[in-house]
Amino acid sequence: MEFKDYYKTLDVSRDATAEEIKKSFRRLARKYHPDVSKETDAESKMKEVNEAYAVLSEPEKRAAYDQLGQGGFQPGSDFQPPPGWDSGFEFSGRGFDGAQAADFSDFFAQLFGGKMGAGAHHAHHRMRGEDHHAKIMLELEDSYHGATRSLTLRMPKLDNQGRTVLAEHTLNVRIPKGVHAGQVIRLAGQGGTGHAGAAAGDLFLEVHFNPHNRYRIENKDVYATLPIAPWEAALGAMVKIPVPDGVVEVRVPENSQSGRKLRLKGRGIPATTPGDLYLVLEVVLPPAATEKAREFYQTMAQELAFNPRQNLGV
């Protein structure tokens, strides 16, 4: 997937005001509209212009896109959004319809598909405040133990000059034990302000986890590497290993190989239906750093007659 420079597409500077963006869009629309344009690539150009305007004309999308742009991505370069790139942004209920999203690029869909305007409008409560949405990044340990976290959210708005600014506010949020990636925490009345005395909207926090240096998370299952010595792998052993909720002792079956998975049922994310914890074995060889160690390896080579490549036909 290629990175798209929406500012370049609309031919505006990165600090352009909302009015400048609108004027440039109108100028380019007159130039590339398929009904009037004589440009050979008018239709594809018009789609690009519409997509860029859909992002830069909305303060919320523009602020998130600007944060992403700080990564120094170049137009046309290979691109994958970094984990949590849009965390901490509070978005209102406005969004794009499915037909619009389908007409835009994979780049747009990857960034904004389903992230903004995720909640339905409440047509039957017209004066009720809008529901707001934000992605938050938690630590895996928060799910195992529960926590109270102070979260700072940024709500993009337009200032008096038509430029996007970020209004910050901080919330103390109780993180329930067993929360899992993709789960939504609802904070009643913390969304948009109601009108004429009507109730405020709600704030929905979508949970994601920060990358961990020891654990990998898949849905409610958790994976960790368990290093073992060659003799533990060959002969079997009972070994201790720290896990997110304490320390466990597990049995390594004899004749184990690297990559074998040991399943600890119910020791993954402690949700209502808990996940499992998988320990992936990794056989670690002692270094041949001393003469005695080298002699030991030479004895193994002579007496075991072991060929790890015999299944390869060599």
Side-chain angles (χ1 to χ4, degrees), residues 134-145:
K135 177 190 288 185
I136 59 173
M137 304 297 292
L138 302 177
E139 302 301 329
L140 174 62
E141 288 78 5
D142 293 338
S143 176
Y144 276 84
H145 306 293

Side-chain angles (χ1 to χ4, degrees), residues 50-182:
N50 281 333
E51 179 177 325
Y53 186 67
V55 174
L56 299 187
S57 63
E58 289 192 17
E60 298 172 347
K61 290 189 182 72
R62 182 180 179 183
Y65 174 75
D66 284 348
Q67 174 169 287
L68 184 69
Q70 295 175 5
F73 300 106
Q74 297 300 315
S77 62
D78 289 338
F79 169 79
Q80 285 295 329
W85 72 273
D86 58 347
S87 64
F89 280 100
E90 184 175 333
F91 301 113
S92 67
R94 294 186 303 275
F96 52 86
D97 59 40
Q100 181 187 29
D103 200 37
F104 289 161
S105 69
D106 292 342
F107 176 80
F108 181 95
Q110 181 76 14
L111 298 185
F112 302 112
K115 295 187 183 299
M116 282 144 236
H121 291 287
H122 298 265
H124 56 294
H125 296 300
R126 294 187 181 278
M127 303 305 290
R128 179 185 182 276
E130 285 187 306
D131 290 340
H132 288 186
H133 306 263
K135 177 190 288 185
I136 59 173
M137 304 297 292
L138 302 177
E139 302 301 329
L140 174 62
E141 288 78 5
D142 293 338
S143 176
Y144 276 84
H145 306 293
T148 297
R149 291 284 176 257
S150 179
L151 304 175
T152 298
L153 301 180
R154 294 156 291 170
M155 184 70 180
K157 298 180 180 179
L158 291 179
D159 64 12
N160 294 333
Q161 286 73 46
R163 290 186 168 86
T164 300
V165 295
L166 295 174
E168 292 189 348
H169 66 110
T170 300
L171 299 168
N172 288 320
V173 180
R174 187 181 70 83
I175 308 301
K177 180 179 177 179
V179 69
H180 56 86

